[in-house]
Amino acid sequence: MFPFPNFLEFNLFTRIIGGNDVLESLGDELTALGITRLFVVTDTRLKEAGIVEGVLRHLEGKNIQVAEIFDRCRPNSDIALVEEGARRIAACGADGLLAIGGGSNIDTAKGMNLVYTLGGQLLDHQGAFNISRPMKLPLAAIPTTAGTGSEVSLGAVIRDSGQQAKITFASPHLAPRLALLVPSLTAGMPPALTAATGFDVLSHAVEAYVSVNHNPFTDALALESIRYVKRYLVRAVANGGKDPEARYGMQVAATMAAMSFNVALLGAAHAVAHATGGLYGVPHGAANALVLPAVCAYNLDACPERYRTIAECLGVNTCGLDSKTAGEAGIAEMRAMRELCGLPATLSAVNIPASAIPALAELAEGDATIVTNPKPIGRAEIEAMLKTIAGD
């Protein structure tokens, strides 16, 4: 059988530079984007810790004025916050954005840019690939976690508190123009956050690799990301900021996984994770860790050879095993890594009652990420799967 898809596409939208010294070039990089009045999107924790000040210190002597520091981002930022930020951008006359922080901060900046550019309300623009023009302002991103890959991704996920749902926005026009990977900025991540964001990386890479939309370019990035997660995640959780190699490895893994799912897209694990985040506020990485092995077990018979390759990237010795058995061993390795990282394995562990399963399944069934899952899955199948991880 011809090994390549009939149609193959891969695009890179973001300039990526990495290393502990790249902040030295921040001013020059922002100047090259035409930025003279900068709107900074971050959160109070990073500002109080001096991280924001440390980043902005590298603009001294450059023709760049910080017009405003918007430090009100929070995990699962919501629509009202995004729309307020868009109004602040207009009021201060900024001509460029810099997002500093985790995926929520970067997604918030994307949403602000979207509303500032197109007007109206954020929900007017929800959906995938329906934005037809570039954003007005260039966006640069400096991630301080290693998980979402939002620094290069085409999407943003924003919480709608009224509907208790996470809303997806996706377009190449949303991708940051510049991403700076500075591993020293992730050194202060606590173990629980390191673990959760790291499992988010694994879920991105695994779902991109088994997606019906995968191609050879996305495969290469996804598999290398999985290898990096296996090599570095447990080390990063255990060693904290004392292991700069592991910190840098996880940053690279996160960015590679996002570059892969930009094209291949994702699957049912993300659909369910979005549902648990929307209804119960479960942090995204922890939600993915919770459901990823169960979703992989459901999908296994649709593409056992791919799950065998995933197992090999996770260090499983598959010699003498058929593909299905090898895939099962890979899923067992995911569960073992999850346990080593101290992440939740049941719905009850994140305070979700079994009675919530029908509502979660209904919400997940309508999530856009479910479309590229390798095996068709509907509400009944999601309910059955969630019952296997309900817990007490």
Side-chain angles (χ1 to χ4, degrees):
M1 184 176 70
F2 188 66
F4 303 117
N6 289 328
F7 176 76
L8 190 154
E9 180 179 6
F10 190 83
N11 292 290
L12 296 173
F13 301 97
T14 306
R15 169 173 159 77
I16 305 163
I17 56 175
N20 282 325
D21 296 329
V22 297
L23 283 176
E24 300 292 337
S25 64
L26 178 62
D28 292 333
E29 294 288 347
L30 297 182
T31 298
L33 293 175
I35 298 173
T36 60
R37 286 184 59 79
L38 186 66
F39 188 89
V40 179
V41 181
T42 188
D43 59 65
T44 302
R45 182 185 66 83
L46 292 175
K47 187 177 179 183
E48 292 178 348
I51 290 175
V52 175
E53 180 184 359
V55 168
L56 297 181
R57 187 179 300 123
H58 295 277
L59 300 181
E60 293 175 1
K62 304 296 179 181
N63 187 31
I64 299 174
Q65 179 183 359
V66 177
E68 184 170 330
I69 298 175
F70 187 96
D71 64 351
R72 294 178 53 200
C73 292
R74 52 185 177 266
N76 297 323
S77 286
D78 60 23
I79 290 171
L81 191 72
V82 168
E83 293 178 347
E84 179 184 348
R87 291 191 292 270
R88 294 303 312 151
I89 291 170
C92 73
D95 59 11
L97 305 176
L98 174 63
I100 305 171
S104 182
N105 293 11
I106 300 171
D107 280 4
T108 298
K110 291 177 183 178
M112 291 175 178
N113 207 8
L114 178 58
V115 174
Y116 176 76
T117 299
L118 300 182
Q121 297 180 320
L122 183 61
L123 287 178
D124 296 338
H125 314 297
Q126 66 179 297
F129 307 105
N130 58 357
I131 300 167
S132 60
R133 68 187 228 201
M135 298 296 97
K136 285 183 178 179
L137 304 184
L139 167 63
I142 302 178
T144 59
T145 63
T148 67
S150 188
E151 67 274 5
V152 296
S153 76
L154 314 183
V157 179
I158 305 295
R159 191 168 190 266
D160 182 343
S161 300
Q163 299 184 55
Q164 289 189 301
K166 286 192 169 184
I167 309 299
T168 300
F169 306 82
S171 166
H173 299 305
L174 289 180
R177 296 274 300 279
L178 172 70
L180 285 81
L181 308 183
V182 188
S184 61
L185 294 183
T186 72
M189 291 172 63
L193 181 60
T194 301
T197 55
F199 243 86
D200 195 17
V201 177
L202 182 61
S203 66
H204 289 158
V206 167
E207 293 214 292
Y209 184 65
V210 301
S211 163
V212 298
N213 212 38
H214 74 88
N215 68 45
F217 299 111
T218 65
D219 285 353
L221 288 161
L223 292 178
E224 191 68 0
S225 178
I226 293 169
R227 293 186 187 99
Y228 271 49
V229 171
K230 172 59 179 176
R231 188 179 307 155
Y232 293 121
L233 175 57
V234 174
R235 274 176 55 180
V237 173
N239 299 336
K242 299 176 183 178
D243 193 339
E245 179 185 331
R247 289 290 173 187
Y248 202 178
M250 285 306 301
Q251 272 204 317
V252 173
T255 302
M256 288 192 296
M259 292 165 68
S260 181
F261 80 69
N262 266 345
V263 175
L265 306 180
L266 295 163
H270 271 77
V272 177
H274 291 158
T276 59
L279 287 179
Y280 285 90
V282 180
H284 184 65
N288 271 309
L290 171 65
V291 302
L292 180 65
V295 169
C296 290
Y298 172 82
N299 287 335
L300 178 58
D301 61 355
C303 49
E305 296 82 6
R306 292 203 151 245
Y307 281 104
R308 179 192 191 97
T309 303
I310 289 169
E312 292 167 351
C313 290
L314 289 173
V316 174
N317 182 359
T318 63
C319 184
L321 301 179
D322 63 80
S323 291
K324 183 174 184 295
T325 304
E328 290 170 342
I331 296 167
E333 178 62 22
M334 292 180 201
R335 293 191 175 105
M337 290 174 63
R338 180 176 64 187
E339 183 174 358
L340 282 172
C341 290
L343 289 165
T346 63
L347 296 178
S348 60
V350 292
N351 299 314
I352 297 178
S355 60
I357 287 176
L360 290 172
E362 180 181 4
L363 196 57
E365 184 183 35
D367 192 275
T369 60
I370 211 165
V371 175
T372 43
N373 196 65
K375 181 179 178 181
I377 184 169
R379 193 177 310 181
E381 291 82 9
I382 297 171
E383 285 194 32
M385 181 192 69
L386 289 176
K387 287 176 182 177
T388 69
I389 58 169
D392 298 332

